[in-house]
């Protein structure tokens, strides 16, 4: 094979031709044969072919690798777009013409940008999932708030914005639930704080028993919001409220006992003020008690000790207290006009206390029951007693009116005459209402007796008997007034006849009637007639009211001394019929 390459004199490079020429010059100088020269040239040619073959193979292998890289890049590009939820990407070339390296160079920026976007998206997913995992752990109560939870695994096959929005929505719901739970926890903790303050309990000890994160040293966002914590807080609040209710009930009972004991023993006001913090809540509701320490155990124990001390003091003053209650009982019966035997009752109390067979508390409780029964009976008699008082007051006005009508100088212009005249007019109106008042009183008394099955007595005297007696006396008085009117008419007629016969008034003769002018009575019926009401009382142990010290008061009769009213005209005619010269008796 002929070699024609020569050395390039400009570049000074060694070429295959220059080397072959150099070799021929050497062969010429050495004297190599043509056969040997051809053999060496064939060997050189074969070696050149081998080199070209290796280079071609390397080039083919490099092309295959580039094609595989291009295929992988396209596949990765498609996967990234799918994972990110993108249909297309701005940096991806629309046409795939050009060399392999040009195609790879065109795809590389898009791949790099998508990889960066994927990393950012994975970080977003990881952050959202970590928050979701943390809140779920806080709600479940299986997350230690002092330690960070492990980073959750992100599913890189779906990093679309739609999936991310779903995670964000879930996170917002969990954050809302966390906020609501946290608000409940804070409300429970505040309630526990207030209850502990009122009950005098240690708040930090109570609240940390529920969960250590609930004390004030922990930030608000770090407090436990688990279902177990909320449940235990609710149970704690219920337990504290029940404890508060029981303590208040106990304290109110002690306060009631203190007040009763103070009233029994006339405890001075200065000593009572020492327990104002106990008695101030005697009628308060559970929600109204908010003062710190108002229901502390030491305060209740202090009240218990004071009640026990007063109970012991009460036992030593039993007789005085019992007689005080007996006096109260007698006053109730006296106001109700119920007759009792106070001396016998006091002797019985003395005997019971001296015998020691009855506990002081039992004796006082029995007397309290008697007082309660007496008050109940007094209340049932109140309506009737009020009408009895009105009846007696009307009868007293009737008695005054009779005395007023007998006064011959009642119309004189003396001092106070106009006041008496006005009182007389009112008294006549009141007296005219007496019959209706008596009828009402009789009806109510009979209804009361039918309901109770016992007789209604007024200071030991049956009220119906008093009313019947009043009606009978009133009837007698009416008959007496009728007879007086008839007698007056007869006397006037007789005088007229005598004047017609003799021409002048006859000399006084023996009077027909020996009745005298009615004077104000002191303790009897009208016209000096003894009161049948008082005689009835004398047969029935009297009608005197009981005073405070258990003695009988004789100053006021329990029924009016005068039962029957005399009208102004009748009284005047009655007086005129008995005044002046006596009239001879009718034949």
């Amino acid at each position: 094979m002929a070699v024609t390459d020569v050395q390039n004199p400009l570049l000074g490079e060694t070429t295959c031709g220059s080397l072959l020429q150099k070799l021929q010059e050497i062969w010429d100088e050495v004297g190599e044969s043509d056969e040997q020269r051809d053999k060496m040239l064939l060997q050189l040619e074969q070696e050149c072919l081998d080199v070209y073959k290796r280079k071609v193979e390397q080039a083919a292998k490099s092309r295959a690798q580039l094609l595989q890289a291009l295929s992988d890049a396209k596949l990765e590009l498609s996967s990234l777009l799918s994972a990110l939820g993108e249909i297309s990407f701005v940096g991806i070339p629309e046409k795939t013409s050009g060399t392999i390296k040009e195609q790879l160079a065109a795809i590389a920026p898009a791949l790099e940008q998508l990889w960066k976007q994927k990393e950012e998206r994975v970080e977003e997913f990881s952050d959202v999932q970590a928050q979701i995992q943390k809140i779920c752990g806080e709600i479940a109560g299986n997350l230690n708030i002092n330690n960070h939870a492990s980073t959750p695994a992100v599913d890189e096959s779906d990093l679309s914005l739609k999936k991310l929005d779903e995670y964000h929505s879930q996170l917002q719901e969990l954050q809302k639930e966390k906020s609501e739970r946290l608000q409940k926890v804070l409300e429970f903790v505040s309630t526990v704080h207030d209850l502990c303050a009122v009950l005098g309990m240690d708040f930090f000890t109570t609240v940390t028993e529920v969960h250590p994160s609930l004390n004030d040293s922990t930030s608000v966002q770090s407090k436990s919001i688990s279902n177990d914590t909320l449940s235990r807080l609710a149970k704690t609040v219920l337990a504290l409220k029940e404890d508060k209710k029981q303590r208040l009930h106990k304290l109110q009972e002690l306060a009631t006992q203190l007040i009763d004991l103070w009233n029994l023993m006339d405890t001075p006001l200065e000593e009572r003020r020492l327990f104002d913090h106990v008695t101030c809540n005697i009628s308060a509701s559970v929600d109204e008690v908010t003062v710190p320490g108002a229901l502390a155990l030491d305060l209740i124990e202090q009240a218990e000790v004071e009640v026990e001390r007063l109970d012991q003091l009460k036992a030593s003053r039993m007789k005085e207290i019992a007689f005080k209650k007996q006096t109260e009982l007698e006053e109730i019966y006296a106001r109700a006009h119920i007759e009792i035997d106070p001396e016998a009752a006091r002797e019985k109390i003395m005997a019971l206390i001296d015998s020691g067979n009855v506990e002081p508390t039992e004796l006082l409780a029995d007397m309290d029951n008697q007082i309660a029964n007496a008050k109940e009976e007094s209340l049932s008699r109140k309506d009737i007693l009020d009408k009895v008082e009105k009846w007696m007051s009307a009868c007293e006005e009737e008695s005054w009116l009779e005395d007023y009508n007998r006064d011959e100088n009642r119309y004189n212009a003396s001092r106070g005459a106009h006041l008496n005249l006005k009182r007389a007019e009112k008294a006549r109106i009141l007296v005219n209402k007496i019959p209706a008042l008596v009828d009402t009183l009789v009806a109510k008394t009979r209804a009361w007796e039918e309901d109770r099955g016992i007789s209604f007595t007024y200071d030991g005297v049956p009220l119906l008997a008093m009313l019947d007696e009043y009606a009978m006396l009133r009837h007698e008085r009416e008959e007496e007034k009728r007879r007086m009117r008839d007698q007056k008419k007869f006397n006037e007629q007789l005088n007229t006849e005598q004047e017609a016969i003799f021409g002048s008034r006859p000399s006084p003769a023996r009077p027909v009637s020996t009745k005298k002018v009615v004077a104000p009575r002191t303790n009897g019926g009208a016209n000096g007639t003894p009161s049948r009401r008082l005689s009835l009382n004398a047969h029935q142990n009297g009608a005197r009211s009981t005073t405070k010290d258990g003695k009988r008061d004789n100053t006021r009769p329990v029924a009016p001394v005068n039962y029957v009213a005399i009208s102004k005209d009748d009284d005047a005619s009655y007086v005129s019929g008995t005044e002046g010269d006596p009239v001879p008796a009718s034949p």
Side-chain angles (χ1 to χ4, degrees), residues 178-198:
K178 178 181 177 179
S179 177
E180 293 174 352
R181 285 172 172 264
L182 186 60
Q183 184 66 28
K184 288 182 181 179
V185 168
L186 294 178
E187 289 177 358
F188 278 134
V189 170
S190 177
T191 304
V192 170
H193 180 272
D194 295 341
L195 290 172
C196 287
V198 174

Side-chain angles (χ1 to χ4, degrees), residues 132-150:
I132 292 174
Q133 180 178 346
K134 181 181 178 182
I135 296 177
C136 289
E138 291 176 358
I139 293 175
N142 54 13
L143 179 65
N144 189 350
I145 61 175
N146 296 322
N147 298 329
H148 295 288
S150 60

Side-chain angles (χ1 to χ4, degrees), residues 554 572 581 587:
N554 230 357
D581 298 332

